[in-house]
Amino acid sequence: MLVGFVILYLLVSIGIGVYAATRVHNARDYVVAGRHLPIYIVTATVFATWFGSETVLGIPATFLEEGLRGIVSDPFGSSMCLILVGLFFARKLYRMNLLTLADYYRKRYGRKVEVITGIAIILSYLGWVSAQMTALGLVFNVLSQGVITQTQGTLIGAAIVLLYTLYGGMWSVALTDFFQMSIIVVGLLYILYVASDMAGGFGHVVQHAADRGQFRFWPEANSRDIIAFVAAWITMMFGSIPQQDVFQRVMSAKNENVAVAGSVLGGSLYFVFAFVPLAIAYSATLIDPALVSGLLDKDAQMILPQLILNHMPVFAQIMFFGALLSAIMSTASGTLLAPSVTLSENILKPYLPNHTDKTLLLTMRIVVVCFAAAVTLFALYSDATIYQMVENAYKVTLVVAFVPLVAGLYWKRANTRGALMAIAFGLAVWLPMEIWLPEGEALLPPQFAGFLASIVGMAVGSLTGRRAHRHAHS
């Protein structure tokens, strides 16, 4: 019954994607859904930006091991990212009528900055999309009780996501996100009700976690811990602002007010619902302590799936795995599309034999297939956890793309020289530290040092160079 439901769910998702393809007539439809999405769909698709495998599997595992202090980057940093996008970026960028975020860098700073930031944005998605493919493999492996290996499950999951994303583009992402968000909310709230009841009541679960010190959030009062805490927070909060999938979801709104409200509402909803899997996971420590202690040492990401399979009725299993698949697939589709359209529009487009809209749309679909193959291979051969894959994804965009974006929108003196120096300084500091310094030995985390260097580069370059003639302040 459980496997039958999963197959039905996957068929419905593919059906929605195929239907969405009927709305795609040009590249703008494919990338930003023709800028036609209403508030409820924008909110749902912004919420689904982050609510992926790491939220249901990765964050709860980290929370059980390290408490709230260990998950400062997600959900605290990631939800603030979406809210900040709505408050400070959505309106300005929406008015510029761009197809991709890298288009902004070209208009503001020129082709060189467009290419460099575009490549950084594309690279940042390798780990993130791979995390979703890894999680799909894990789910199919668990559901089939080992009949489908994790490698086979990853390949099957990647093929399904590719199928419904390939033809429908952002229309497919948006409509499936709305369907999948509904499953996530209903499914996880029901599981929380069942799990907390089995653990002695929701109040008992919360009190037990508090007594164990799980809610300690702020770092120890020493410089090293404080810097590491701030670095983890801003890596996700700032580093994920210059991301194409966030930009696409906001820019697909039917007007700028919807873009702002949808981003703030989606980020706020994400923050609230990210705590539901945490509560379910902690309930597991009371329901089956032996299961949790065994998996904490082996594979903490399996705690929730095994709890559901071992202790809950079939209906609860259906609701959980429906919500889990929804979370993974909604994030996977958007994060597969985003780097593909950036590569097509900002890197490959000038080299196409003709610049017709039809040629660009075909190129985007070919690149989607190629990127899906690349991230699936990365998922199969990487030994990083889901949470680590996602957390590491934003270091490059924090160092390369964030400062030029903010300065270009809010500082009139920002110019091309400043942007290039921001990128150069950031990379020159971050990369050597990231590659050669053992983890935890540097006074500043590599990406935080690179971020500060990027600010210095922008200031030095802009103040010593000529003012830019291109501005983006409308």
Side-chain angles (χ1 to χ4, degrees):
M1 184 176 177
L2 175 58
V3 174
F5 168 81
V6 169
I7 292 171
L8 175 63
Y9 168 81
L10 294 173
L11 289 174
V12 170
S13 294
I14 292 169
I16 293 172
V18 171
Y19 165 73
T22 63
R23 296 185 172 221
V24 176
H25 306 292
N26 53 50
R28 183 162 291 274
D29 287 340
Y30 194 73
V31 179
V32 290
R35 292 186 133 197
H36 291 311
L37 300 184
I39 181 68
Y40 61 94
I41 292 186
V42 174
T43 300
T45 196
V46 168
F47 168 88
T49 307
W50 302 128
F51 213 105
S53 59
E54 68 281 1
T55 315
V56 183
L57 301 176
I59 298 175
T62 306
F63 171 72
L64 291 180
E65 293 173 326
E66 303 177 32
L68 277 185
R69 192 180 296 165
I71 57 170
V72 59
S73 63
D74 192 4
F76 292 93
S78 53
S79 56
M80 276 305 301
C81 157
L82 297 173
I83 293 169
L84 290 174
V85 166
L87 294 177
F88 299 105
F89 297 89
R91 198 176 300 277
K92 284 176 174 286
L93 292 172
Y94 192 92
R95 290 174 181 174
M96 295 179 69
N97 198 23
L98 306 168
L99 198 61
T100 69
L101 183 58
D103 285 345
Y104 164 79
Y105 293 100
R106 182 184 69 250
K107 286 193 172 186
R108 186 66 173 84
Y109 300 114
R111 173 69 177 161
K112 282 184 183 177
V113 178
E114 173 196 16
V115 171
I116 297 169
T117 54
I119 290 172
I121 289 168
I122 292 163
L123 289 175
S124 73
Y125 281 95
L126 269 175
W128 195 9
V129 192
S130 297
Q132 312 314 313
M133 302 309 180
T134 298
L136 285 170
L138 186 150
V139 171
F140 287 126
N141 176 251
V142 170
L143 284 174
S144 67
Q145 297 182 330
V147 174
I148 298 174
T149 67
Q150 186 153 340
T151 296
Q152 292 168 337
T154 298
L155 293 171
I156 293 168
I160 292 169
V161 172
L162 173 62
L163 184 61
Y164 77 75
T165 307
L166 178 61
Y167 295 104
M170 191 60 204
W171 269 115
S172 176
V173 171
L175 296 183
T176 52
D177 277 357
F178 183 70
F179 165 67
Q180 289 159 346
M181 178 186 167
S182 306
I183 301 290
I184 290 168
V185 171
V186 173
L188 287 181
L189 285 177
Y190 174 73
I191 294 297
L192 176 62
Y193 169 76
V194 174
S196 59
D197 185 61
M198 293 173 66
F202 183 72
H204 177 64
V205 172
V206 173
Q207 188 59 51
H208 193 277
D211 292 342
R212 288 267 304 271
Q214 292 294 118
F215 297 146
R216 291 193 190 114
F217 179 66
W218 299 109
E220 299 295 331
N222 63 72
S223 59
R224 182 173 290 275
D225 284 356
I226 292 171
I227 290 170
F229 180 87
V230 172
W233 198 331
I234 69 165
T235 298
M236 196 85 163
M237 181 168 60
F238 291 165
S240 49
I241 286 176
Q243 288 285 349
Q244 174 63 20
D245 65 309
V246 176
F247 172 85
Q248 272 179 261
R249 284 165 155 91
V250 175
M251 295 305 112
S252 298
K254 65 181 182 179
N255 59 54
E256 63 183 67
N257 291 330
V258 169
V260 172
S263 187
V264 173
L265 286 172
S268 302
L269 278 173
Y270 173 76
F271 181 75
V272 172
F273 274 95
F275 286 92
V276 175
L278 300 187
I280 298 171
Y282 196 82
S283 298
T285 65
L286 301 176
I287 297 169
D288 191 343
L291 170 75
V292 174
S293 61
L295 286 174
L296 276 175
D297 295 329
K298 187 179 178 184
D299 187 0
Q301 294 168 162
M302 289 297 296
I303 289 173
L304 275 186
Q306 290 300 331
L307 170 74
I308 304 302
L309 287 173
N310 294 342
H311 293 281
M312 296 200 176
V314 173
F315 181 71
Q317 293 175 16
I318 289 172
M319 296 303 289
F320 174 77
F321 283 102
L324 177 57
L325 280 170
S326 295
I328 298 168
M329 293 173 69
S330 62
T331 299
S333 59
T335 52
L336 177 61
L337 181 64
S340 302
V341 300
T342 301
L343 180 58
S344 305
E345 164 73 8
N346 302 107
I347 309 299
L348 301 179
K349 184 178 176 180
Y351 304 104
L352 297 179
N354 58 70
H355 289 190
T356 65
D357 193 83
K358 186 176 180 180
T359 304
L360 180 61
L361 183 56
L362 176 62
T363 303
M364 287 178 178
R365 285 176 167 150
I366 292 171
V367 173
V368 166
V369 175
C370 295
F371 198 81
V375 295
T376 303
L377 287 172
F378 188 85
L380 293 176
Y381 292 103
S382 174
D383 58 359
T385 68
I386 290 170
Y387 191 82
Q388 287 169 337
M389 284 184 186
V390 173
E391 190 176 33
N392 291 334
Y394 310 106
K395 292 179 179 178
V396 63
T397 43
L398 174 67
V399 169
V400 171
F402 178 72
V403 172
L405 174 63
V406 176
L409 289 173
Y410 286 99
W411 189 32
K412 290 183 178 181
R413 289 292 301 268
N415 57 28
T416 303
R417 182 177 178 181
L420 289 171
M421 288 186 69
I423 293 167
F425 280 30
L427 286 174
V429 171
W430 169 62
L431 271 180
M433 292 179 68
E434 188 74 37
I435 294 170
W436 289 301
L437 277 182
E439 188 174 351
E441 284 197 9
L443 179 61
L444 295 176
Q447 75 275 16
F448 189 43
F451 167 64
L452 296 177
S454 181
I455 295 173
V456 173
M458 174 58 75
V460 171
S462 296
L463 292 174
T464 58
R466 293 180 300 172
R467 278 183 61 173
H469 296 294
R470 287 180 287 249
H471 292 296
H473 305 290
S474 57

